[in-house]
């Protein structure tokens, strides 16, 4: 308001009196000018036309310049040497070149809306933000120079071990998965494509395990209304395997990325397999379920002993008073299935679109690749395992996922306690080195991991191993399935 009042007092009858010019210029010089644009001209503060003369001093935005000596104008006729460009022909003390301004009072031109974001630069990796004047400037909140990996919608996309697919180069419209999240390539950058999958992602789209078909949803829903078939990415890596609590003799192992069921296979999931077993059994051929990741894996063998029919299979699932199977369709569906032989567990996983995990894969998931004693991070104070974390030293299995504090690094539940879990390996000593290995030397026992509700905390160690006859069922052994990445 102060500036406008002095303009009114200096512009008398449409003519700026020369005698007043010094005084007006002195007053205007002490004002704080608004921020000028970084284009060619110096922006003024008023939109009134020049009081006299034939040309207008101006700014690149087309406004009439008030303050003298402020810079070059826009794209019209040059102004005179008036008082700071106020008058094209008037006498005055200002020394600024009137510039080539546009018509006085024209609206300021903007390149963008303030706070808008974009990616710029020859490689598209430079994040920019629109400033308050409507011009693009570097967005140092995202990156001082260019983004390390890529820029998307004005923000840097970065890479981490848990988000490796984003780091891969891609062509537009390619599809992929990042754990259970479908992704699509947009502008050379992997971006999320819709919601995360309820079960697992395959070839860039959500997929469904056979045992969790929509028709069985009522009996295949686990903790927090999640699908019991939710399968989570274990990103792979190198780590040391140990035998029980012997942390002095490491056995190095490297495992590629794979999916591993979040929950132990439940009674509800087993029902579809058991009721259709007569039709499933003949489909199991030599090599079925063979993994493309696991070295030496030959897949299923027709020499593996299975129940003769569905009735015999269900009878075997009732091997003990602590068996979790129930003939009632509405009971025990969230409990982990037990009393299951290795052969039945392996056949189930193949039918369900997966396989059993190897010992190395299972231990990577349980140890988090960080040599964890138990699947969870041990608390800084207090005992490393309590009944809050795992179901051990108890009388019966609990519903799958009942101990969320005990979830592993990549989200799998009940890797310690509840029921022990069959793995693919035959029993035997660890090899000195291991790359996606499993023990394929045939013998009378297959390995299981993770301990069980009946046993103490020692059995729940991520490193503890055990082995049993693959054709015999026990109430403390169940399983979970693994899947190769497509």
């Amino acid at each position: 308001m102060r500036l406008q009042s002095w303009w009114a007092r200096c512009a008398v009858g449409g003519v700026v009196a020369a005698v007043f010019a010094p005084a007006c210029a002195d007053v205007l010089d002490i004002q704080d000018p608004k921020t000028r644009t970084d284009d060619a001209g110096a922006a003024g503060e008023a939109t009134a036309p020049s009081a006299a003369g034939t040309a207008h001093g101006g700014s690149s935005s087309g406004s009439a310049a008030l303050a003298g000596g402020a810079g070059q104008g826009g794209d019209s006729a040059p102004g005179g040497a008036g008082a700071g460009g106020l008058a094209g022909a008037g006498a005055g003390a200002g020394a600024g070149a009137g510039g080539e301004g546009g018509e006085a009072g024209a609206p300021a031109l903007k390149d963008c809306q303030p706070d808008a974001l974009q990616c710029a630069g020859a490689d598209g990796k430079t994040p920019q933000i629109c400033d308050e004047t409507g011009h693009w400037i570097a967005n140092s909140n995202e990156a001082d120079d260019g983004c390390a990996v890529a820029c998307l919608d004005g923000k840097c996309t970065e890479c981490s071990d848990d988000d490796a697919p984003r780091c891969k180069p891609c062509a537009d419209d390619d599809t992929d998965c990042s754990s259970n999240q479908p992704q699509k390539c947009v502008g050379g950058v992997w971006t999320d494509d819709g919601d995360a999958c309820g079960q697992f992602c395959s070839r860039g789209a959500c997929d469904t395990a056979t045992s969790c078909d929509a028709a069985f949803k009522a009996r295949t829903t686990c903790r927090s209304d999640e699908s019991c078939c939710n399968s989570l990415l274990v990103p792979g890596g190198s780590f040391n395997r140990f035998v029980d609590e012997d942390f002095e003799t490491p056995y190095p192992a490297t495992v590629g990325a794979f999916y591993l069921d979040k929950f132990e296979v439940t009674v509800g999931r087993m029902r579809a397999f058991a009721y259709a077993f007569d039709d499933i059994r003949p489909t199991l051929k030599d090599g079925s379920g063979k993994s493309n990741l696991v070295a030496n894996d030959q897949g299923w063998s027709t020499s593996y002993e299975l129940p003769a029919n569905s009735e015999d299979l269900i009878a075997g699932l009732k091997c003990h008073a602590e068996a979790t199977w129930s003939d009632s369709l509405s009971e025990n569906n969230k409990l982990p299935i037990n009393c299951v032989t290795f052969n039945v567990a392996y056949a189930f996983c193949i039918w369900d679109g997966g396989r059993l995990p190897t010992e190395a894969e299972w231990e990577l998931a349980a140890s988090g690749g960080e040599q964890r004693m138990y699947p969870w991070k041990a608390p800084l104070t207090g005992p490393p395992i309590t009944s809050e974390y795992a179901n051990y030293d108890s009388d019966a299995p609990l519903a799958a996922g009942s101990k969320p504090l005990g979830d592993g690094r990549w989200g799998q539940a009940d890797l310690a306690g509840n029921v022990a879990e069959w793995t693919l390996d035959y029993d035997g000593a660890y090899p000195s080195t291991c790359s996606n290995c499993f023990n394929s030397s045939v013998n009378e026992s297959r390995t299981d991991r993770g301990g069980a509700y009946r046993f103490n905390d020692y059995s729940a160690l991520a490193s503890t191993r055990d082995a049993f006859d693959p054709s015999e069922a026990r109430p403390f052994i169940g399983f979970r399935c693994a899947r190769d990445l497509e």
Side-chain angles (χ1 to χ4, degrees):
M1 293 299 295
R2 181 180 180 186
L3 183 60
Q4 291 175 346
S5 65
W6 273 97
W7 169 267
R9 291 171 61 185
C10 290
V12 180
V15 178
V16 178
V19 66
F20 288 106
C24 293
D26 289 344
V27 171
L28 292 175
D29 284 345
I30 66 172
Q31 306 305 309
D32 292 328
K34 289 184 178 178
T35 303
R36 278 141 173 84
T37 68
D38 54 6
D39 291 328
E45 291 190 356
T47 58
S50 299
T54 59
H56 306 282
S59 69
S60 63
S61 65
S63 299
L66 285 177
Q72 298 299 316
D75 56 4
S76 187
L86 285 173
E100 296 179 343
E103 290 299 321
L109 297 177
K110 293 184 178 181
D111 297 326
C112 52
Q113 292 299 316
D115 297 326
L117 301 173
Q118 74 170 11
C119 298
D123 57 1
K125 290 186 176 182
T126 303
Q128 293 185 330
I129 188 170
C130 189
D131 68 11
E132 62 183 6
T133 70
H135 292 77
W136 291 111
I137 60 172
N139 187 0
S140 58
N141 289 332
E142 284 294 318
D144 291 332
D145 298 315
C147 297
V149 178
C151 179
L152 181 66
D153 297 330
K155 292 182 176 293
C156 291
T157 58
E158 304 296 345
C159 291
S160 69
D161 291 341
D162 294 336
D163 199 22
R166 289 188 186 274
C167 305
K168 298 186 300 185
C170 63
D172 281 359
D173 296 328
D174 284 352
T175 59
D176 204 342
C177 298
S178 176
S179 190
N180 278 4
Q181 175 63 59
Q183 293 193 315
K184 185 176 182 179
C185 188
V186 179
V189 179
W190 287 111
T191 60
D192 292 347
D193 186 18
D195 295 332
C197 300
Q199 295 184 27
F200 61 96
C201 182
S202 175
R203 296 185 178 92
C206 292
D207 206 346
T208 303
T210 309
S211 63
C212 287
D213 186 271
F216 313 136
K217 184 175 180 180
R219 61 182 187 234
T220 58
T221 300
C222 284
R223 182 177 79 196
S224 303
D225 293 328
E226 291 183 72
S227 169
C228 296
C229 289
N230 192 352
S231 194
L232 303 176
L233 178 70
V234 177
S238 297
F239 67 108
N240 288 326
R241 298 195 286 175
F242 296 93
V243 179
D244 299 332
E245 292 182 311
D246 174 14
F247 288 90
E248 296 180 359
T249 307
Y251 294 86
T254 299
V255 172
F258 66 102
Y259 287 109
L260 185 64
D261 284 355
K262 178 170 184 176
F263 303 108
E264 293 166 329
V265 172
T266 58
V267 171
R269 288 178 67 184
M270 178 58 72
R271 291 192 188 282
F273 177 77
Y275 299 146
F277 183 70
D278 291 346
D279 295 325
I280 295 168
R281 195 177 190 278
T283 67
L284 295 168
K285 307 295 186 181
D286 287 333
S288 294
K290 181 181 182 300
S291 170
N292 293 321
L293 174 67
V294 178
N296 302 322
D297 181 26
Q298 298 300 312
W300 179 263
S301 171
T302 51
S303 65
Y304 297 160
E305 182 180 344
L306 283 173
N309 51 47
S310 179
E311 184 179 354
D312 286 352
L313 172 62
I314 293 172
L317 296 175
K318 303 174 183 178
C319 74
H320 193 275
E322 295 168 8
T324 55
W325 176 269
S326 171
D327 289 332
S328 170
L329 292 179
S330 61
E331 293 181 0
N332 295 0
N333 286 321
K334 294 185 179 182
L335 291 177
I337 190 69
N338 59 4
C339 283
V340 60
T341 66
F342 168 91
N343 296 341
V344 168
Y346 192 14
F348 174 97
C349 287
I350 293 172
W351 164 79
D352 208 40
R355 57 179 174 82
L356 286 172
T358 67
E359 270 203 280
E361 289 173 332
W362 192 97
E363 188 170 347
L364 173 64
S367 69
E370 299 173 335
Q371 272 61 70
R372 295 182 180 184
M373 181 177 293
Y374 297 101
W376 55 90
K377 279 282 192 181
L380 295 178
T381 59
I385 181 172
T386 68
S387 59
E388 293 180 285
Y389 292 87
N391 178 26
Y392 66 100
D393 274 339
S394 70
D395 297 328
L398 298 176
S402 294
K403 304 287 186 178
L405 289 178
D407 289 358
R409 179 180 177 185
W410 294 292
Q412 283 79 15
D414 299 319
L415 289 165
N418 220 26
V419 291
E421 301 171 15
W422 288 114
T423 64
L424 192 61
D425 295 58
Y426 285 98
D427 189 25
Y430 286 153
S432 57
T433 60
C434 166
S435 179
N436 293 316
C437 65
F438 99 105
N439 186 354
S440 59
S441 298
V442 178
N443 61 55
E444 62 184 12
S445 299
R446 296 273 190 168
T447 55
D448 67 283
R449 306 293 298 252
Y453 64 96
R454 280 187 177 187
F455 306 135
N456 60 21
D457 57 343
Y458 179 83
S459 72
L461 289 167
S463 57
T464 299
R465 309 170 70 201
D466 212 337
F468 294 93
D469 185 326
S471 63
E472 294 184 7
R474 289 169 173 79
F476 51 84
I477 301 181
F479 67 105
R480 75 180 74 215
C481 301
R483 303 173 193 276
D484 287 356
L485 269 67
E486 297 293 345

